[in-house]
Amino acid sequence: MYEEFELKAFNGFISEPKIDYTNSGKSKTTFAITLKKNKEDEAKFLNCVLWNDEQFAEKCKKGDIVTVYGTFTENEYKGKVYTNFIVKDYKCGVRGI
């Protein structure tokens, strides 16, 4: 099962990006964005996946504010549904405090 949703945009502070490689050599960068409307809100995390862009980890570091554009996907694996945000484009902003 694979389902893709409409294009969305989010921004927030990011976790440390992690790069892995598939057997075919494609890079897969994963990171999370903290989503909060204000200081009093409980933090929510958006798990992001970026394919074939090794420079992201050089441009964007933990604590940076980043805006991501992409789509949500749902994949079913062994009876469990996983939701990720597949990044199509991004903009790195200023380093957070």
Side-chain angles (χ1 to χ4, degrees):
M1 174 187 183
Y2 175 82
E3 190 173 345
E4 190 167 304
F5 300 93
E6 64 187 64
L7 186 67
K8 300 284 184 184
F10 295 94
N11 69 327
F13 296 104
I14 67 167
S15 64
E16 191 67 41
K18 178 183 175 196
I19 301 176
D20 290 312
Y21 295 89
T22 65
N23 291 336
S24 63
K26 292 182 179 182
S27 67
K28 177 184 177 185
T29 305
T30 56
F31 58 94
I33 297 179
T34 305
L35 303 174
K36 289 179 77 169
K37 291 183 180 180
N38 57 53
K39 290 181 182 181
E40 292 78 31
D41 285 347
E42 183 177 334
K44 294 183 181 178
F45 299 94
L46 178 65
N47 294 319
C48 299
V49 177
L50 177 62
W51 290 97
N52 301 318
D53 189 341
E54 297 173 10
Q55 295 180 351
F56 178 85
E58 296 171 13
K59 295 177 187 177
C60 304
K61 303 290 183 194
K62 180 179 180 179
D64 286 352
I65 296 176
V66 67
T67 301
V68 292
Y69 306 90
T71 56
F72 284 101
T73 61
E74 284 186 350
N75 298 307
E76 187 177 277
Y77 180 72
K78 293 185 178 180
K80 186 172 180 182
V81 176
Y82 296 88
T83 302
N84 284 308
F85 188 75
I86 306 300
V87 177
K88 307 288 186 184
D89 196 12
Y90 63 88
K91 293 181 183 172
C92 289
V94 290
R95 183 153 305 237
I97 297 175

